[in-house]
Amino acid sequence: MTKALNELTIAEAARALRARECTVRELWDACHAAAVAKNPELNAYLEIFDADETAIAAAQARIDSGDESLLCGIPLAIKDNILIDGKIASAASKMLEHYTATYDATVIKKLKDAGALFVGRANMDEFAMGSSTEHSAFGSTKNAVDPTRVPGGSSGGSAVAVAAHLAIAALGTDTGGSVRQPAALNGIVGLKPTYGAVSRSGLIAMGSSLDQAGPLTKTVEDAQIVFDAIRGLDPLDSTTIPAGLYPEHARKEKLTIGVPRHILSEGVDADVLETFEATLQRLAKEGHTIVDVEMPTSPYALAAYYVVMPAEVSANLARLDGIRYGHAARGETLLDDYVQSRTEGFGPETLRRILLGTFVLSSGYIDAYYRKAQAARDVLRKEYDEAFKNVDVIAFPTTPSPAFKFGEKSNDPVAMYLEDVFTITANLTGMPALSVPMGTVVREKSTLPVGIHFTTPHANEAMLFRLGTDVEKLSRGE
Ligand code: GLN
């Protein structure tokens, strides 16, 4: 059965464009038409852009003249917290509903240089805080596999745009799992690069020491294509890392995979755990070695994250005061202006995190909470560095359970926070991590995808791609 153009992967579309099996215009039209047709139901996009005729013609001309950029002419969905010059970037908040970006984020500039096209602004949890996209100020996105369920978050719109073929691939941001978790819940691939591998310039900041932009794609190969296009040292982001800063581990064919089974014994659905173990067994048959690892500090990672992250959120969102940026309400006094603008502009989850963050940074509590959390973060990183002396990769299920129903966790912040239990550690340690589909589980007659999650030492994304490709092959039965 031949695929429709919008169903192609980046690699397939790049090949089809060069084989003259389709034009850039036809590829764009297929994605755009699917987006327009399906968005009323799925709400993956907050805005679908009109065709940029100049960009389409330029991409076609490049391909005609033999340009080899694989992203040339490829339509992408972009999360609404990534700045595209001249377009609104609202971070799915009323606060920035009318904010128009005045420059391109570095990742956008790089994608434009590669010849990529942008289908629209993808929906998300407000300011990237959440795991279900239910915290968007503009309505939630529906899961691509089962529309009665959440798509995950916070990059829910990006994930659904790709899984439902409303774009060939997408860019999201990941502060605690926001690329990997929605990728897992929609049956696609998601990469959180090494901290500093990709510039944060032009991203609406959530937690500056945790944030990374990353690809959501149909295949591991595509994730690598996007990563290669967006990575690199950037003078506009002093935290970006030069090549060679971290040692690159030997490119082995067969890897040693560490599994911290002691933290999987509680809270993970039985069938998710079975799918995970079956996937590991298949990898073992392929010649990889599976060993147990102990990560004694892991149980504290979630708590540390929910102290460090809100602290950074409260600092980053302080600029949104109704004077310098954002929704502007006017009261009797200047203080009224601030209070009213922020009360009206921010949703409940954002307010909760600003309050939490302000509290953990306040004098008297900073030692008890913020500094303790930073200390736990250091220990966690050391523990991972230590474990990587014996293993190449550490594996978890990406999430404890498959996509849940709307409303199931939205009134219970702690239940929602537990969604991130396996993904947040990579943000706290700065290590790269990849989620790859590992199979399905059934809930109420619905067959739902779940993902396997791999972490490697800093700057060793190559190893993630290597192992991820094996998982893909095994699930295709090759
Ligand atoms: N779900 C996590 C949170 O709510 C992660 C968010 C993210 O990665 N942006 O903080």
Side-chain angles (χ1 to χ4, degrees):
M1 204 175 68
T2 51
K3 287 186 187 174
L5 291 179
N6 53 312
E7 292 172 2
L8 299 177
T9 65
I10 297 174
E12 289 167 347
R15 196 202 52 77
L17 286 167
R18 279 160 187 86
R20 304 292 182 271
E21 287 165 14
C22 69
T23 62
V24 173
R25 180 78 219 192
E26 285 160 356
L27 183 64
W28 164 270
D29 283 347
C31 293
H32 188 262
V36 170
K38 295 243 188 86
N39 207 50
E41 185 203 347
L42 296 174
N43 202 28
Y45 288 108
L46 294 174
E47 183 187 356
I48 299 171
F49 301 144
D50 291 335
D52 179 343
E53 301 298 346
T54 318
I56 291 174
Q60 187 64 56
R62 279 176 67 167
I63 288 168
D64 291 343
S65 64
D67 188 301
E68 287 181 354
S69 162
L70 292 175
L71 282 167
C72 193
I74 304 293
L76 306 176
I78 304 294
K79 190 176 181 179
D80 193 33
N81 60 349
I82 302 175
L83 271 51
I84 307 176
D85 190 14
K87 304 286 189 202
I88 289 174
S90 79
S93 177
K94 288 244 176 295
M95 190 53 118
L96 291 175
E97 192 174 356
H98 305 295
Y99 170 73
T100 301
T102 53
Y103 65 99
D104 280 328
T106 297
V107 287
I108 294 298
K109 192 177 170 310
K110 284 175 178 274
L111 290 174
K112 282 184 177 173
D113 289 348
L117 307 172
F118 306 122
V119 184
R121 298 191 279 127
N123 200 7
M124 55 184 281
D125 286 294
E126 183 178 20
F127 290 106
M129 296 182 232
S131 303
S132 67
T133 315
E134 288 166 291
H135 298 312
S136 167
F138 308 111
S140 51
T141 298
K142 309 281 183 293
N143 187 291
V145 180
D146 176 351
T148 68
R149 292 173 186 268
V150 303
S154 65
S155 312
S158 299
V160 172
V162 176
H165 307 295
L166 318 182
I168 302 295
L171 219 50
T173 60
D174 191 311
T175 305
S178 280
V179 163
R180 292 159 285 156
Q181 184 256 11
L185 301 195
N186 289 281
I188 60 168
V189 174
L191 171 74
K192 197 286 288 181
T194 303
Y195 183 77
V198 177
S199 169
R200 290 178 295 112
S201 174
L203 265 49
I204 297 175
M206 178 181 162
S208 303
S209 76
L210 306 156
D211 296 344
Q212 272 292 282
L216 294 103
T217 55
K218 294 171 191 173
T219 61
V220 173
E221 181 185 22
D222 280 6
Q224 184 165 8
I225 293 170
V226 177
F227 174 61
D228 284 340
I230 61 174
R231 68 191 297 184
L233 199 60
D234 180 10
L236 298 176
D237 175 359
S238 61
T239 62
T240 50
I241 52 172
L245 178 71
Y246 296 108
E248 202 184 316
H249 291 232
R251 297 206 176 189
K252 297 187 233 164
E253 271 302 297
K254 302 300 171 198
L255 302 171
T256 305
I257 305 170
V259 186
R261 290 207 167 79
H262 63 108
I263 54 172
L264 300 178
S265 52
E266 253 176 76
V268 183
D269 291 359
D271 49 1
V272 173
L273 207 53
E274 270 166 38
T275 314
F276 175 68
E277 291 291 353
T279 308
L280 291 177
Q281 270 174 26
R282 275 184 270 152
L283 286 168
K285 271 205 197 124
E286 276 295 289
H288 300 292
T289 309
I290 316 292
V291 298
D292 276 322
V293 285
E294 291 277 324
M295 313 296 274
T297 310
S298 281
Y300 305 103
L302 193 71
Y305 172 78
Y306 275 95
V307 172
V308 172
M309 173 274 297
E312 296 186 7
V313 163
S314 73
N316 275 325
L317 299 193
R319 77 192 69 163
L320 299 160
D321 58 7
I323 305 285
R324 284 171 290 189
Y325 287 98
H327 172 75
R330 293 290 170 256
E332 299 272 293
T333 64
L334 181 62
L335 185 63
D336 287 346
D337 292 358
Y338 290 147
V339 172
Q340 233 165 292
S341 300
R342 287 169 69 82
T343 309
E344 291 172 13
F346 291 135
E349 183 62 24
T350 304
L351 291 172
R352 179 179 299 121
R353 300 211 191 180
I354 293 172
L355 286 172
L356 255 173
T358 310
F359 175 76
V360 300
L361 288 176
S362 58
S363 90
Y365 292 104
I366 188 164
D367 286 322
Y369 295 106
Y370 182 71
R371 296 212 168 98
K372 281 243 169 65
Q374 288 291 19
R377 188 178 183 180
D378 286 345
V379 175
L380 202 62
R381 181 172 164 162
K382 284 199 189 100
E383 238 169 63
Y384 267 73
D385 282 338
E386 205 50 44
F388 283 130
K389 289 182 182 159
N390 303 314
V391 302
D392 301 305
V393 182
I394 290 177
F396 294 117
T398 309
T399 56
S401 43
F404 46 94
K405 294 265 187 182
F406 287 101
E408 206 176 308
K409 300 188 182 182
S410 46
N411 294 321
D412 183 350
V414 176
M416 190 75 91
Y417 298 168
L418 280 169
E419 266 298 297
D420 311 323
V421 68
F422 298 130
T423 48
I424 36 128
T425 303
N427 302 79
L428 288 169
T429 63
M431 289 162 184
L434 181 77
S435 177
V436 188
M438 67 168 173
T440 53
V441 295
V442 177
R443 294 287 176 283
E444 297 175 4
K445 296 194 183 138
S446 196
T447 304
L448 304 168
V450 282
I452 187 164
H453 181 274
F454 300 117
T455 306
T456 58
H458 295 96
N460 281 275
E461 278 85 355
M463 211 138 62
L464 294 176
F465 298 137
R466 157 89 192 72
L467 195 55
T469 308
D470 267 4
V471 173
E472 285 180 330
K473 272 195 217 143
L474 293 171
S475 35
R476 281 196 303 261
E478 285 171 22

